Amino acid sequence: VIMLFLRIAAKDLDRARPDVIFHLAAIATTEQDPAGLLSKRLMQRMFSAHPYGGDPLGTPASVRTLLPADLRAFHQQFYVARNALVVIVGDLDRES
């Protein structure tokens, strides 16, 4: 069993602040693009409460308010054994 532990401090988020500013710009650009808006609304209508119905970029408010605890919770929920996939490639046969 492999255990993964995530250590994120506020200073780590501060270091990523330029990426956050870029991400907020991407959200703003999508909000001004008719095709982007149409795609977002279509996904909301088709999938409503399902995760596909949400905006994968998030919202300006959700991006600005991320805390280390939010990242830890995401990590604990999704970085688990049941989500792991092991892939082996190469010149192998069943006897190897």
Side-chain angles (χ1 to χ4, degrees):
V1 174
I2 298 173
M3 301 293 288
L4 297 174
F5 296 97
L6 182 65
R7 186 186 73 71
I8 291 184
K11 67 177 179 163
D12 298 323
L13 287 180
D14 289 339
R15 192 174 61 236
R17 194 72 52 208
D19 295 332
V20 171
I21 293 169
F22 179 79
H23 192 82
L24 289 171
I27 293 171
T29 299
T30 301
E31 289 294 322
Q32 296 172 1
D33 174 33
L37 287 172
L38 178 63
S39 176
K40 184 190 298 189
R41 300 298 181 261
L42 179 63
M43 296 300 278
Q44 287 171 344
R45 291 238 178 195
M46 287 174 42
F47 296 104
S48 62
H50 187 277
Y52 286 170
D55 187 352
L57 291 176
T59 65
S62 68
V63 172
R64 284 189 184 103
T65 58
L66 276 176
L67 299 171
D70 299 322
L71 298 176
R72 278 189 221 99
F74 177 86
H75 185 268
Q76 289 172 349
Q77 181 177 355
F78 294 104
Y79 283 73
V80 294
R82 73 175 177 276
N83 291 339
L85 177 65
V86 177
V87 177
I88 301 172
V89 297
D91 186 18
L92 302 169
D93 55 33
R94 288 197 174 263
E95 288 80 39
S96 295

XYZ file of all heavy atoms in Angstrom:
748
model
N 0.849 -1.175 0.000
C 0.000 0.000 0.000
C 0.892 1.234 0.000
O 1.792 1.354 0.821
C -0.922 0.014 1.238
C -1.687 1.299 1.308
C -1.852 -1.169 1.206
N 0.617 2.131 -0.908
C 1.366 3.378 -0.987
C 0.503 4.481 -0.396
O -0.651 4.640 -0.766
C 1.725 3.717 -2.447
C 2.623 2.621 -3.020
C 2.382 5.085 -2.532
C 2.883 2.790 -4.492
N 1.073 5.225 0.529
C 0.364 6.339 1.150
C 0.938 7.639 0.606
O 2.145 7.817 0.580
C 0.525 6.309 2.671
C 0.002 5.042 3.318
S -1.775 4.881 3.187
C -2.295 6.130 4.318
N 0.066 8.511 0.149
C 0.491 9.810 -0.334
C 0.018 10.878 0.635
O -1.145 10.890 1.029
C -0.100 10.094 -1.713
C 0.312 9.159 -2.826
C -0.473 9.488 -4.087
C 1.788 9.257 -3.090
N 0.906 11.741 1.026
C 0.554 12.835 1.919
C 0.840 14.150 1.216
O 1.876 14.309 0.569
C 1.349 12.755 3.226
C 1.035 11.525 4.016
C 1.837 10.401 3.927
C -0.090 11.472 4.811
C 1.544 9.255 4.635
C -0.399 10.321 5.529
C 0.422 9.218 5.441
N -0.062 15.064 1.341
C 0.068 16.351 0.681
C 0.300 17.427 1.734
O -0.452 17.547 2.685
C -1.210 16.662 -0.104
C -1.228 17.947 -0.891
C -0.180 17.891 -2.001
C -2.599 18.165 -1.487
N 1.379 18.170 1.536
C 1.664 19.283 2.440
C 1.640 20.560 1.616
O 2.491 20.774 0.763
C 3.035 19.119 3.102
C 3.306 20.180 4.159
C 4.715 20.095 4.692
N 5.726 20.554 3.771
C 5.938 21.830 3.411
N 5.162 22.769 3.861
N 6.915 22.148 2.585
N 0.633 21.374 1.866
C 0.524 22.648 1.167
C 0.327 23.727 2.216
O -0.565 23.646 3.051
C -0.657 22.669 0.183
C -0.371 21.728 -0.971
C -0.922 24.063 -0.331
C -1.402 21.730 -2.052
N 1.153 24.726 2.148
C 1.055 25.870 3.047
C 0.599 27.088 2.249
O 0.644 27.096 1.022
C 2.414 26.132 3.696
N 0.190 28.121 2.960
C -0.253 29.348 2.295
C 0.845 29.915 1.400
O 0.562 30.443 0.327
C -0.688 30.367 3.334
N 2.103 29.767 1.820
C 3.214 30.293 0.999
C 3.290 29.566 -0.347
O 3.704 30.146 -1.343
C 4.538 30.196 1.745
C 4.995 28.781 1.987
C 6.342 28.737 2.674
C 6.668 27.263 2.884
N 7.982 26.974 3.165
N 2.888 28.283 -0.364
C 2.868 27.544 -1.626
C 1.831 28.131 -2.582
O 2.063 28.229 -3.780
C 2.574 26.066 -1.387
C 3.638 25.394 -0.547
O 4.824 25.733 -0.727
O 3.293 24.553 0.296
N 0.686 28.521 -2.040
C -0.335 29.148 -2.875
C 0.125 30.520 -3.348
O -0.140 30.913 -4.481
C -1.650 29.280 -2.103
C -2.423 27.980 -1.891
C -3.695 28.239 -1.114
C -2.729 27.297 -3.198
N 0.815 31.253 -2.496
C 1.330 32.567 -2.893
C 2.298 32.430 -4.058
O 2.312 33.264 -4.960
C 2.023 33.259 -1.711
C 1.033 33.707 -0.657
O -0.161 33.851 -0.986
O 1.449 33.905 0.497
N 3.105 31.383 -4.048
C 4.059 31.156 -5.128
C 3.337 30.877 -6.445
O 3.835 31.176 -7.524
C 4.989 29.999 -4.755
C 6.186 29.885 -5.668
C 7.178 28.830 -5.223
N 6.577 27.513 -5.194
C 6.550 26.708 -4.114
N 7.112 27.071 -2.995
N 5.969 25.529 -4.174
N 2.132 30.318 -6.358
C 1.357 29.992 -7.555
C 0.459 31.150 -7.994
O -0.265 31.030 -8.977
C 0.498 28.761 -7.296
N 0.532 32.273 -7.290
C -0.346 33.405 -7.586
C -0.287 33.860 -9.056
O -1.337 34.137 -9.649
C -0.017 34.564 -6.644
C -1.029 35.655 -6.602
C -2.321 35.303 -5.902
N -2.122 34.743 -4.582
C -2.977 33.895 -4.001
N -4.074 33.527 -4.623
N -2.753 33.419 -2.812
N 0.883 33.944 -9.705
C 0.883 34.333 -11.130
C 0.057 33.380 -12.003
O -0.607 33.819 -12.949
C 2.358 34.285 -11.515
C 3.085 34.496 -10.232
C 2.238 33.827 -9.183
N 0.060 32.100 -11.669
C -0.755 31.139 -12.423
C -2.241 31.412 -12.209
O -3.054 31.244 -13.112
C -0.427 29.705 -12.003
C 0.995 29.314 -12.360
O 1.540 29.872 -13.332
O 1.561 28.458 -11.656
N -2.588 31.824 -10.989
C -3.987 32.131 -10.678
C -4.441 33.335 -11.493
O -5.548 33.348 -12.040
C -4.168 32.373 -9.158
C -5.554 32.908 -8.853
C -3.899 31.099 -8.381
N -3.597 34.347 -11.590
C -3.944 35.538 -12.372
C -4.161 35.155 -13.832
O -5.125 35.591 -14.470
C -2.850 36.612 -12.227
C -2.845 37.127 -10.784
C -3.058 37.749 -13.220
C -1.664 37.982 -10.424
N -3.301 34.298 -14.374
C -3.464 33.816 -15.748
C -4.776 33.048 -15.885
O -5.502 33.197 -16.871
C -2.269 32.941 -16.139
C -2.366 32.383 -17.518
C -2.062 33.177 -18.616
C -2.779 31.078 -17.732
C -2.158 32.669 -19.906
C -2.875 30.572 -19.008
C -2.568 31.364 -20.098
N -5.103 32.224 -14.908
C -6.333 31.425 -14.934
C -7.557 32.345 -14.907
O -8.530 32.106 -15.627
C -6.352 30.458 -13.745
C -7.404 29.417 -13.847
N -7.250 28.270 -14.581
C -8.646 29.354 -13.331
C -8.342 27.541 -14.505
N -9.213 28.185 -13.749
N -7.514 33.383 -14.095
C -8.631 34.329 -14.040
C -8.815 35.028 -15.388
O -9.941 35.280 -15.814
C -8.409 35.354 -12.927
C -8.546 34.802 -11.506
C -8.089 35.848 -10.492
C -9.964 34.352 -11.227
N -7.711 35.317 -16.058
C -7.789 35.920 -17.394
C -8.444 34.957 -18.382
O -9.238 35.371 -19.237
C -6.402 36.332 -17.872
N -8.128 33.675 -18.267
C -8.748 32.668 -19.146
C -10.250 32.594 -18.908
O -11.036 32.473 -19.854
C -8.101 31.307 -18.920
N -10.666 32.681 -17.654
C -12.099 32.673 -17.330
C -12.769 33.897 -17.945
O -13.835 33.797 -18.559
C -12.321 32.622 -15.805
C -11.858 31.279 -15.242
C -13.790 32.862 -15.464
C -11.836 31.220 -13.727
N -12.147 35.058 -17.800
C -12.710 36.293 -18.347
C -12.827 36.214 -19.866
O -13.824 36.659 -20.443
C -11.864 37.492 -17.932
N -11.838 35.645 -20.509
C -11.866 35.501 -21.969
C -13.022 34.605 -22.396
O -13.746 34.915 -23.344
C -10.532 34.917 -22.476
O -9.481 35.813 -22.118
C -10.542 34.716 -23.975
N -13.224 33.506 -21.681
C -14.320 32.587 -21.998
C -15.670 33.283 -21.830
O -16.585 33.060 -22.614
C -14.248 31.342 -21.097
O -12.998 30.703 -21.309
C -15.366 30.373 -21.407
N -15.771 34.131 -20.802
C -17.027 34.838 -20.541
C -17.356 35.854 -21.641
O -18.492 36.275 -21.769
C -16.967 35.535 -19.183
C -16.997 34.588 -18.009
C -18.315 33.838 -17.897
O -19.383 34.428 -18.160
O -18.275 32.645 -17.539
N -16.376 36.268 -22.429
C -16.603 37.244 -23.490
C -16.723 36.592 -24.868
O -16.998 37.269 -25.853
C -15.462 38.265 -23.505
C -15.414 39.082 -22.242
C -14.184 39.957 -22.163
O -13.358 39.966 -23.062
N -14.059 40.687 -21.076
N -16.529 35.295 -24.926
C -16.556 34.568 -26.189
C -17.928 33.919 -26.378
O -18.317 33.072 -25.569
C -15.458 33.499 -26.184
C -15.499 32.608 -27.405
O -15.866 33.108 -28.484
O -15.161 31.419 -27.270
N -18.684 34.307 -27.409
C -20.014 33.723 -27.597
C -19.997 32.189 -27.667
O -20.858 31.531 -27.089
C -20.489 34.320 -28.924
C -19.732 35.595 -29.047
C -18.393 35.323 -28.415
N -19.013 31.624 -28.356
C -18.939 30.162 -28.451
C -18.656 29.550 -27.087
O -19.216 28.501 -26.729
C -17.870 29.743 -29.452
N -17.788 30.190 -26.301
C -17.492 29.695 -24.959
C -18.713 29.748 -24.059
O -18.988 28.818 -23.299
N -19.451 30.851 -24.140
C -20.675 30.985 -23.337
C -21.724 29.958 -23.748
O -22.371 29.340 -22.904
C -21.249 32.391 -23.473
C -20.494 33.486 -22.749
C -21.051 34.854 -23.124
C -20.568 33.273 -21.246
N -21.881 29.765 -25.047
C -22.844 28.780 -25.539
C -22.478 27.386 -25.054
O -23.331 26.633 -24.581
C -22.905 28.820 -27.061
C -23.839 27.802 -27.709
C -25.277 28.055 -27.284
C -23.703 27.849 -29.215
N -21.209 27.039 -25.147
C -20.757 25.727 -24.699
C -21.022 25.537 -23.210
O -21.502 24.485 -22.779
C -19.265 25.572 -24.998
O -18.794 24.354 -24.485
N -20.712 26.564 -22.428
C -20.930 26.476 -20.977
C -22.412 26.289 -20.655
O -22.789 25.429 -19.864
C -20.413 27.742 -20.307
C -20.516 27.687 -18.799
C -20.247 29.005 -18.114
C -18.867 29.513 -18.339
N -18.558 30.686 -17.490
N -23.280 27.080 -21.305
C -24.721 26.985 -21.046
C -25.274 25.636 -21.498
O -26.123 25.042 -20.836
C -25.473 28.116 -21.751
C -25.082 29.509 -21.339
C -25.357 29.786 -19.848
N -24.975 31.150 -19.526
C -23.829 31.500 -18.944
N -22.941 30.586 -18.628
N -23.553 32.751 -18.659
N -24.795 25.147 -22.632
C -25.249 23.852 -23.131
C -24.893 22.741 -22.142
O -25.728 21.890 -21.821
C -24.628 23.570 -24.495
C -24.999 22.240 -25.146
C -26.491 22.187 -25.437
C -24.196 22.034 -26.422
N -23.663 22.748 -21.645
C -23.250 21.722 -20.671
C -24.074 21.825 -19.393
O -24.463 20.806 -18.811
C -21.760 21.855 -20.368
C -20.868 21.589 -21.573
S -21.066 19.946 -22.271
C -20.024 19.012 -21.183
N -24.380 23.051 -18.954
C -25.199 23.231 -17.755
C -26.593 22.653 -17.967
O -27.139 21.993 -17.089
C -25.302 24.712 -17.396
C -24.038 25.295 -16.825
C -24.104 26.807 -16.692
O -24.964 27.475 -17.281
N -23.178 27.360 -15.923
N -27.165 22.899 -19.128
C -28.516 22.393 -19.411
C -28.541 20.875 -19.559
O -29.457 20.222 -19.090
C -29.061 23.027 -20.676
C -29.362 24.466 -20.510
C -30.775 24.673 -20.816
N -31.076 26.077 -20.609
C -32.280 26.504 -20.532
N -33.273 25.672 -20.667
N -32.519 27.766 -20.335
N -27.543 20.343 -20.244
C -27.530 18.902 -20.506
C -27.228 18.085 -19.254
O -27.785 17.008 -19.052
C -26.496 18.572 -21.588
C -26.921 19.001 -22.962
S -25.661 18.774 -24.251
C -24.951 17.207 -23.924
N -26.321 18.580 -18.400
C -25.845 17.763 -17.296
C -26.202 18.319 -15.916
O -25.903 17.680 -14.910
C -24.327 17.591 -17.391
C -23.907 16.835 -18.623
C -23.359 17.492 -19.706
C -24.083 15.470 -18.697
C -22.968 16.800 -20.838
C -23.709 14.764 -19.820
C -23.154 15.429 -20.896
N -26.811 19.461 -15.835
C -27.247 20.141 -14.611
C -26.365 19.851 -13.392
O -25.299 20.418 -13.273
C -28.713 19.853 -14.333
O -28.944 18.486 -14.132
N -26.783 18.970 -12.491
C -26.062 18.751 -11.232
C -24.841 17.837 -11.371
O -24.049 17.736 -10.444
C -27.012 18.171 -10.190
N -24.690 17.176 -12.505
C -23.535 16.302 -12.724
C -22.278 17.165 -12.864
O -22.355 18.312 -13.317
C -23.760 15.480 -13.994
C -22.733 14.430 -14.225
N -21.526 14.705 -14.814
C -22.721 13.103 -13.939
C -20.808 13.595 -14.889
N -21.518 12.613 -14.363
N -21.103 16.643 -12.485
C -19.866 17.433 -12.644
C -19.645 17.956 -14.064
O -19.057 19.014 -14.248
C -18.769 16.446 -12.241
C -19.431 15.549 -11.250
C -20.852 15.395 -11.757
N -20.136 17.250 -15.091
C -19.984 17.743 -16.459
C -20.736 19.062 -16.667
O -20.443 19.805 -17.590
C -20.505 16.728 -17.473
C -19.627 15.522 -17.699
C -20.084 14.449 -18.438
C -18.347 15.443 -17.170
C -19.295 13.329 -18.662
C -17.549 14.339 -17.381
C -18.027 13.291 -18.123
O -17.241 12.192 -18.344
N -21.732 19.322 -15.831
C -22.508 20.550 -15.951
C -21.797 21.769 -15.400
O -22.218 22.895 -15.626
N -20.726 21.560 -14.669
C -19.971 22.672 -14.105
C -18.928 23.187 -15.065
O -18.583 22.531 -16.048
N -18.453 24.374 -14.799
C -17.415 24.955 -15.641
C -16.066 24.430 -15.178
O -15.678 24.641 -14.029
C -17.462 26.475 -15.532
C -16.542 27.164 -16.500
O -15.740 26.483 -17.162
O -16.618 28.398 -16.608
N -15.319 23.751 -16.044
C -14.037 23.191 -15.606
C -13.016 24.264 -15.209
O -12.109 23.987 -14.430
C -13.544 22.393 -16.819
C -14.310 22.924 -17.975
C -15.598 23.450 -17.429
N -13.200 25.488 -15.702
C -12.295 26.556 -15.300
C -12.630 27.110 -13.925
O -11.811 27.755 -13.298
C -12.341 27.699 -16.328
C -11.748 27.419 -17.695
C -11.969 28.615 -18.608
C -10.272 27.088 -17.582
N -13.856 26.858 -13.464
C -14.286 27.441 -12.201
C -14.834 28.835 -12.430
O -15.066 29.258 -13.556
N -15.038 29.534 -11.346
C -15.508 30.918 -11.411
C -14.439 31.804 -10.795
O -13.603 31.324 -10.021
C -16.812 31.092 -10.620
O -16.540 30.850 -9.238
C -17.904 30.148 -11.111
N -14.461 33.091 -11.099
C -13.483 33.972 -10.444
C -13.541 33.863 -8.919
O -12.506 33.810 -8.256
C -13.876 35.364 -10.929
C -14.495 35.121 -12.272
C -15.233 33.807 -12.109
N -14.746 33.779 -8.372
C -14.876 33.682 -6.916
C -14.281 32.377 -6.383
O -13.582 32.362 -5.370
C -16.339 33.794 -6.506
N -14.536 31.264 -7.083
C -14.028 29.980 -6.599
C -12.509 29.909 -6.691
O -11.848 29.338 -5.829
C -14.667 28.808 -7.345
O -14.241 28.776 -8.699
N -11.946 30.512 -7.721
C -10.486 30.496 -7.889
C -9.814 31.387 -6.845
O -8.805 31.018 -6.255
C -10.099 30.933 -9.319
C -8.604 31.122 -9.452
C -10.590 29.901 -10.325
N -10.410 32.552 -6.595
C -9.807 33.497 -5.637
C -9.863 33.001 -4.196
O -9.045 33.401 -3.379
C -10.515 34.842 -5.721
C -10.137 35.648 -6.918
C -10.720 37.062 -6.826
N -10.435 37.798 -8.011
C -11.320 38.041 -8.981
N -12.556 37.610 -8.875
N -10.962 38.716 -10.048
N -10.823 32.153 -3.881
C -11.007 31.747 -2.484
C -10.421 30.374 -2.153
O -10.655 29.868 -1.057
C -12.505 31.760 -2.104
O -13.213 30.880 -2.980
C -13.077 33.157 -2.218
N -9.672 29.774 -3.070
C -9.057 28.478 -2.772
C -8.111 28.586 -1.586
O -7.314 29.511 -1.493
C -8.272 27.966 -3.979
C -9.055 27.225 -5.037
C -8.146 26.877 -6.200
C -9.710 25.990 -4.491
N -8.211 27.624 -0.710
C -7.365 27.576 0.486
C -6.571 26.270 0.487
O -6.959 25.300 -0.165
C -8.238 27.636 1.748
C -9.079 28.891 1.923
C -10.047 28.713 3.083
C -8.185 30.099 2.126
N -5.487 26.210 1.247
C -4.750 24.939 1.352
C -5.649 23.779 1.770
O -5.506 22.670 1.265
C -3.689 25.248 2.411
C -3.447 26.713 2.278
C -4.799 27.295 1.955
N -6.600 24.033 2.648
C -7.508 22.962 3.094
C -8.341 22.416 1.928
O -8.635 21.217 1.878
C -8.421 23.476 4.200
N -8.719 23.284 0.981
C -9.479 22.835 -0.190
C -8.643 21.888 -1.040
O -9.135 20.864 -1.517
C -9.898 24.031 -1.049
C -10.800 24.996 -0.309
O -11.650 24.527 0.466
O -10.641 26.211 -0.512
N -7.375 22.221 -1.226
C -6.493 21.361 -2.017
C -6.238 20.036 -1.316
O -6.195 18.988 -1.957
C -5.178 22.082 -2.300
C -5.326 23.369 -3.115
C -3.990 24.063 -3.254
C -5.936 23.090 -4.464
N -6.087 20.076 0.000
C -5.907 18.826 0.756
C -7.136 17.929 0.629
O -7.018 16.714 0.429
C -5.619 19.126 2.224
C -4.189 19.468 2.494
C -3.899 19.543 4.002
N -3.043 20.687 4.208
C -3.423 21.888 4.611
N -4.683 22.130 4.898
N -2.561 22.866 4.737
N -8.322 18.523 0.736
C -9.560 17.744 0.629
C -9.688 17.116 -0.756
O -10.068 15.942 -0.883
C -10.765 18.632 0.927
N -9.356 17.874 -1.795
C -9.381 17.341 -3.154
C -8.417 16.167 -3.277
O -8.755 15.110 -3.817
C -9.004 18.440 -4.154
C -8.934 17.956 -5.571
C -10.068 17.915 -6.363
C -7.732 17.515 -6.118
C -10.005 17.468 -7.671
C -7.659 17.062 -7.427
C -8.802 17.034 -8.198
N -7.219 16.346 -2.753
C -6.189 15.301 -2.805
C -6.664 14.043 -2.085
O -6.533 12.931 -2.599
C -4.901 15.835 -2.190
C -3.756 14.885 -2.289
N -3.463 13.979 -1.291
C -2.842 14.687 -3.263
C -2.413 13.279 -1.652
N -2.013 13.680 -2.838
N -7.234 14.183 -0.903
C -7.693 13.026 -0.126
C -8.843 12.306 -0.811
O -8.983 11.098 -0.696
C -8.102 13.463 1.280
C -6.925 13.845 2.134
C -7.348 14.458 3.465
O -8.520 14.785 3.670
N -6.395 14.619 4.364
N -9.666 13.047 -1.544
C -10.806 12.434 -2.206
C -10.421 11.705 -3.491
O -10.939 10.617 -3.770
C -11.868 13.484 -2.519
C -13.096 12.898 -3.191
C -14.170 13.930 -3.439
O -14.060 15.082 -3.037
N -15.224 13.524 -4.115
N -9.510 12.271 -4.264
C -9.262 11.736 -5.594
C -7.945 10.988 -5.754
O -7.818 10.170 -6.660
C -9.359 12.849 -6.637
C -10.760 13.393 -6.757
C -11.089 14.617 -6.193
C -11.743 12.672 -7.395
C -12.380 15.115 -6.280
C -13.032 13.153 -7.488
C -13.350 14.378 -6.927
N -6.964 11.239 -4.943
C -5.673 10.548 -5.052
C -5.694 9.325 -4.133
O -5.020 9.277 -3.115
C -4.514 11.493 -4.713
C -4.200 12.441 -5.840
C -5.038 13.501 -6.133
C -3.086 12.245 -6.640
C -4.769 14.363 -7.181
C -2.803 13.099 -7.697
C -3.659 14.149 -7.954
O -3.394 14.999 -9.000
N -6.512 8.360 -4.523
C -6.716 7.146 -3.737
C -6.509 5.922 -4.633
O -6.542 6.017 -5.870
C -8.123 7.113 -3.106
C -8.275 8.217 -2.062
C -9.202 7.247 -4.155
N -6.324 4.785 -4.017
C -6.010 3.554 -4.745
C -7.074 3.203 -5.789
O -6.744 2.771 -6.893
C -5.831 2.404 -3.764
N -8.345 3.405 -5.474
C -9.400 3.013 -6.426
C -9.359 3.844 -7.710
O -9.946 3.471 -8.715
C -10.776 3.079 -5.773
C -11.297 4.473 -5.527
C -12.733 4.440 -4.986
N -13.184 5.778 -4.702
C -12.951 6.444 -3.575
N -12.283 5.861 -2.594
N -13.398 7.663 -3.412
N -8.660 4.972 -7.692
C -8.536 5.800 -8.889
C -7.222 5.557 -9.633
O -6.970 6.186 -10.647
C -8.634 7.283 -8.521
C -10.023 7.658 -8.057
O -10.986 6.980 -8.355
N -10.120 8.730 -7.310
N -6.411 4.639 -9.123
C -5.107 4.379 -9.746
C -5.270 3.482 -10.971
O -6.157 2.637 -11.046
C -4.157 3.727 -8.740
N -4.386 3.677 -11.906
C -4.354 2.864 -13.113
C -2.899 2.510 -13.379
O -2.042 3.380 -13.417
C -4.931 3.653 -14.299
C -4.916 2.977 -15.650
C -5.822 1.743 -15.646
C -5.361 3.946 -16.724
N -2.631 1.227 -13.509
C -1.276 0.768 -13.795
C -1.244 0.302 -15.240
O -2.056 -0.519 -15.659
C -0.859 -0.384 -12.849
C 0.515 -0.904 -13.214
C -0.901 0.070 -11.406
N -0.296 0.833 -16.006
C -0.176 0.495 -17.403
C 1.220 -0.037 -17.635
O 2.210 0.570 -17.219
C -0.425 1.730 -18.306
C -0.228 1.381 -19.763
C -1.802 2.303 -18.051
N 1.311 -1.189 -18.282
C 2.606 -1.791 -18.607
C 2.658 -1.927 -20.127
O 1.767 -2.471 -20.742
C 2.765 -3.171 -17.937
C 2.638 -3.031 -16.414
C 4.068 -3.805 -18.332
C 2.583 -4.330 -15.675
N 3.719 -1.396 -20.694
C 3.878 -1.473 -22.142
C 5.237 -2.079 -22.470
O 6.148 -2.047 -21.671
C 3.761 -0.076 -22.808
C 2.393 0.505 -22.596
C 4.815 0.862 -22.275
N 5.328 -2.650 -23.629
C 6.600 -3.235 -24.059
C 6.372 -4.549 -24.763
O 5.237 -4.982 -24.988
N 7.463 -5.207 -25.057
C 7.417 -6.481 -25.750
C 7.255 -7.596 -24.710
O 8.208 -8.221 -24.301
C 8.706 -6.660 -26.564
C 8.660 -7.904 -27.439
O 7.542 -8.409 -27.678
O 9.736 -8.345 -27.863
N 6.014 -7.800 -24.263
C 5.721 -8.769 -23.208
C 4.754 -9.817 -23.716
O 3.969 -9.572 -24.626
C 5.088 -8.065 -22.003
C 5.902 -6.939 -21.363
C 5.039 -6.190 -20.378
C 7.116 -7.518 -20.684
N 4.789 -10.963 -23.089
C 3.766 -11.974 -23.321
C 3.247 -12.408 -21.962
O 3.767 -12.027 -20.924
C 4.303 -13.152 -24.147
C 5.540 -13.783 -23.535
O 5.644 -13.805 -22.291
O 6.382 -14.260 -24.299
N 2.240 -13.245 -21.932
C 1.619 -13.644 -20.664
C 2.583 -14.394 -19.734
O 2.457 -14.359 -18.534
C 0.386 -14.480 -20.912
C -0.744 -13.654 -21.456
C -2.040 -14.416 -21.304
N -3.145 -13.596 -21.691
C -3.902 -12.906 -20.824
N -3.650 -12.978 -19.554
N -4.896 -12.184 -21.267
N 3.568 -15.091 -20.270
C 4.500 -15.850 -19.452
C 5.545 -14.954 -18.752
O 6.170 -15.369 -17.813
C 5.232 -16.903 -20.304
C 4.358 -18.074 -20.716
C 3.475 -17.733 -21.904
O 3.937 -17.031 -22.820
O 2.313 -18.169 -21.911
N 5.742 -13.747 -19.241
C 6.786 -12.872 -18.682
C 6.492 -12.456 -17.311
O 5.840 -12.054 -16.662
C 6.977 -11.633 -19.557
O 7.468 -12.027 -20.810
